[in-house]
């Protein structure tokens, strides 16, 4: 689960787009034709409000004191592209292929609330766009099948978890909790594209928006996680929340096959999964009550690796050295994770509260070593 974000609607084929996102950096992103966004704690200044449709570079500088994120949104709030976790004093570059139409660029200081929006327009003829290669078409079709399968496989596991909660069986619910989340964690970037489904099922208490009441507005896995591990009991409200979780996940399952998927969105999604690990799993914040962080960690890595493997025929052709780096770093991180696997034949890992600071640092270093080349995958696919 990312920090609370703007509500978005399910992506459709209204406008195809291709996105390649770079890393935060201290140096200038460059590009004389770039749209420059100066984000601060109270403003979102945009250098151009009208630009030619096609390949667009957006150079973001965070001049504020808070971590920020920047979105390009369709008028109905669907996300065209985004860049999260831009720290104070840092810069980031985003490259997107955007079709003609009206959009908003939104800065979100503190990564909370509705953000500060600026209306912009991409001018030019509608339609068009480069034809995909057979390898790209194959990657998109295979990834769509993958996310649908993950959703389908999640539902019976989530139902087993919900049934245990409704039966008041704390130990059975604890055992079913982590397995019920694996499919979601493998495909989290796609799951997060569907409006308020993500905050309904996967928000942590500290991810609630200002004004939301945890007693009334907090739902989903982590709300039940707290009841099971922190409170060690199940009450009538928890039983209702179990039914709500299944209803929300059923909604996700129905929608996931409709997601707008492009080769570069697959690549960017892989990087987002590594960002999820870095900001939530390695720190122990994601599963703060159950300490099942390593299960989520492994699922995120598996989802990222699946995305890369589907794009590998393109990456090998366009940037063979990058492909070699990714092969090496995925193998290294998986080997490191396997040290904490308590049962090689199953998805069981050491409780994260038993993992020391030195070991957590080693895991963090492994994630960072993979994240750096993975951040270049979208650009390689877009060549």
């Amino acid at each position: 689960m990312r920090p609370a974000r703007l509500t978005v609607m399910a992506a459709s084929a209204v406008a195809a787009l291709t996105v390649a996102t770079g890393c935060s950096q201290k140096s200038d992103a460059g590009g004389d034709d770039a749209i420059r966004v100066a984000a601060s704690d109270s403003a979102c200044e945009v250098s151009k409000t009208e630009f030619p449709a096609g390949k667009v570079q957006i150079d973001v500088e965070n001049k504020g004191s808070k971590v920020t994120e920047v979105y390009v949104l369709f008028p109905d709030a669907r996300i065209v592209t985004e860049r999260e976790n831009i720290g104070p004093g840092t810069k980031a570059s985003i490259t997107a292929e955007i079709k003609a139409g009206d959009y908003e660029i939104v800065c979100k200081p503190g990564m909370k609330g509705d953000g500060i929006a600026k209306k912009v327009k991409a001018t030019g003829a509608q339609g068009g766009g480069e034809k995909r290669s057979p390898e790209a078409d194959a990657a998109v079709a295979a990834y769509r099948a993958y996310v649908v399968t993950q959703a389908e496989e999640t539902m019976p596991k989530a139902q087993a978890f919900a049934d245990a909660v409704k039966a008041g069986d704390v130990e059975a619910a604890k055992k079913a909790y982590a397995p019920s989340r694996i499919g979601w964690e493998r495909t989290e970037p796609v799951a997060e594209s569907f409006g308020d489904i993500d905050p309904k099922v996967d928000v942590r208490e500290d991810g609630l928006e200002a004004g939301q009441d945890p007693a009334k507005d907090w739902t989903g896995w982590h709300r039940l996680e707290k009841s099971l591990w922190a409170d060690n009991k199940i009450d009538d409200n928890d039983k209702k929340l179990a039914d709500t979780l299944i209803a929300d996940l059923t909604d996700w399952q129905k929608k996931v096959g409709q997601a707008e998927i492009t080769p570069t969105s697959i690549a960017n999604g892989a990087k987002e999964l590594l960002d999820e690990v870095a900001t939530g799993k390695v720190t122990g914040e994601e599963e703060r009550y159950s300490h099942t962080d390593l299960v989520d960690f492994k699922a995120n890595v598996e989802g990222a690796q699946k995305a890369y493997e589907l794009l590998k025929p393109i990456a090998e052709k366009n940037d063979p050295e990058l492909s070699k780096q990714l092969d090496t770093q995925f193998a290294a991180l998986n080997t490191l994770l396997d040290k904490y696997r308590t049962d090689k034949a199953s998805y069981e890992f050491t409780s994260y509260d038993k993992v020391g600071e030195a070991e957590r640092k080693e895991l963090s270093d492994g994630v960072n070593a993979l994240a750096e080349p993975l951040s270049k995958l979208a650009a390689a696919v877009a060549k």
Side-chain angles (χ1 to χ4, degrees):
M1 169 65 196
R2 300 181 194 175
R5 59 188 295 168
L6 293 166
T7 299
V8 296
M9 296 176 65
S12 67
V14 175
L17 54 101
T18 303
V19 179
T21 305
C23 296
S24 290
Q25 53 191 308
K26 290 286 184 181
S27 61
D28 289 332
D32 291 340
D33 295 327
I35 301 169
R36 288 179 168 79
V37 178
S40 68
D41 297 344
S42 58
C44 186
E45 300 298 332
V46 179
S47 64
K48 299 177 183 179
T49 57
E50 193 167 302
F51 50 86
K55 186 177 180 181
V56 177
Q57 181 172 321
I58 304 169
D59 292 343
V60 182
E61 181 177 4
N62 183 0
K63 296 184 175 182
S65 63
K66 301 176 182 178
V67 175
T68 195
E69 52 192 8
V70 174
Y71 296 83
V72 179
L73 302 177
F74 289 110
D76 60 8
R78 287 177 298 116
I79 295 174
V80 178
T81 186
E82 63 181 308
R83 184 71 170 92
E84 299 182 330
N85 295 303
I86 306 171
T90 64
K91 300 178 181 181
S93 181
I94 308 168
T95 301
E97 187 176 326
I98 303 177
K99 288 196 172 183
D102 295 319
Y103 301 89
E104 285 186 338
I105 292 178
V106 181
C107 305
K108 198 173 180 186
M111 306 205 318
K112 292 272 189 177
D114 293 332
I116 305 162
K118 296 289 184 180
K119 293 184 181 299
V120 296
K121 185 181 186 67
T123 60
Q126 293 283 359
E130 294 183 11
K131 186 178 180 180
R132 284 183 189 151
S133 68
E135 294 90 347
D137 280 338
V140 168
Y143 191 72
R144 188 180 302 280
Y146 175 70
V147 296
V148 168
T149 298
Q150 292 304 308
E152 290 173 346
E153 291 179 354
T154 293
M155 293 312 300
K157 295 176 182 178
Q159 188 65 61
F161 171 63
D163 288 346
V165 172
K166 290 165 65 178
D169 191 334
V170 172
E171 292 308 312
K174 285 181 177 180
K175 186 175 181 179
Y177 171 76
S180 75
R181 292 175 48 75
I182 293 170
W184 175 276
E185 291 291 336
R186 286 172 175 160
T187 59
E188 205 163 357
V190 175
E192 288 173 339
S193 72
F194 294 104
D196 59 357
I197 295 177
D198 178 61
K200 283 181 178 178
V201 306
D202 199 31
V203 73
R204 303 190 301 264
E205 186 172 6
D206 57 332
L208 295 172
E209 294 286 357
Q212 288 188 304
D213 182 352
K216 298 177 181 178
D217 302 316
W218 189 18
T219 60
W221 271 303
H222 294 302
R223 174 63 186 85
L224 292 168
E225 179 202 6
K226 183 178 182 181
S227 292
L228 293 170
W229 275 273
D231 304 331
N232 202 38
K233 64 179 182 180
I234 295 170
D235 61 22
D236 288 342
N237 185 57
D238 294 325
K239 295 176 182 180
K240 293 177 182 178
L241 288 173
D243 281 333
T244 300
L245 175 64
I246 294 302
D248 291 333
L249 288 175
T250 299
D251 190 22
W252 162 61
Q253 181 194 14
K254 290 177 180 177
K255 291 180 176 179
V256 72
Q258 304 167 18
E260 177 71 18
I261 296 173
T262 67
T264 45
S265 74
I266 299 171
N268 285 321
K271 176 58 168 60
E272 288 170 21
L273 286 170
L274 262 290
D275 290 344
E276 290 278 349
V277 175
T279 59
K281 281 69 174 185
V282 167
T283 62
E285 295 176 57
E286 181 82 1
E287 307 291 357
R288 62 191 62 175
Y289 307 110
S290 64
H291 305 299
T292 55
D293 303 88
L294 288 173
V295 176
D296 292 358
F297 191 141
K298 179 66 172 178
N300 283 159
V301 172
E302 287 179 338
Q305 187 165 8
K306 181 67 174 182
Y308 162 60
E309 288 173 349
L310 293 176
L311 295 170
K312 188 174 178 179
I314 305 171
E316 280 186 320
K317 182 190 299 183
N318 293 345
D319 194 337
E321 183 57 34
L322 177 65
S323 187
K324 290 178 183 178
Q325 292 178 32
L326 287 169
D327 287 341
T328 299
Q329 295 303 333
F330 268 117
L333 186 54
N334 279 312
T335 297
L336 185 57
L337 275 171
D338 282 345
K339 290 170 54 178
Y340 301 95
R341 203 161 189 164
T342 56
D343 183 347
K344 303 299 183 184
S346 68
Y347 225 88
E348 295 181 12
F349 287 81
T350 301
S351 180
Y352 203 56
D353 59 334
K354 307 299 183 186
V355 179
E357 288 303 316
E359 289 76 16
R360 292 188 183 199
K361 176 64 165 55
E362 184 181 30
L363 287 165
S364 179
D365 289 345
V367 171
N368 291 336
L370 173 58
E372 194 279 327
L374 195 58
S375 71
K376 301 175 182 177
L377 180 59
V381 169
K383 285 182 180 179

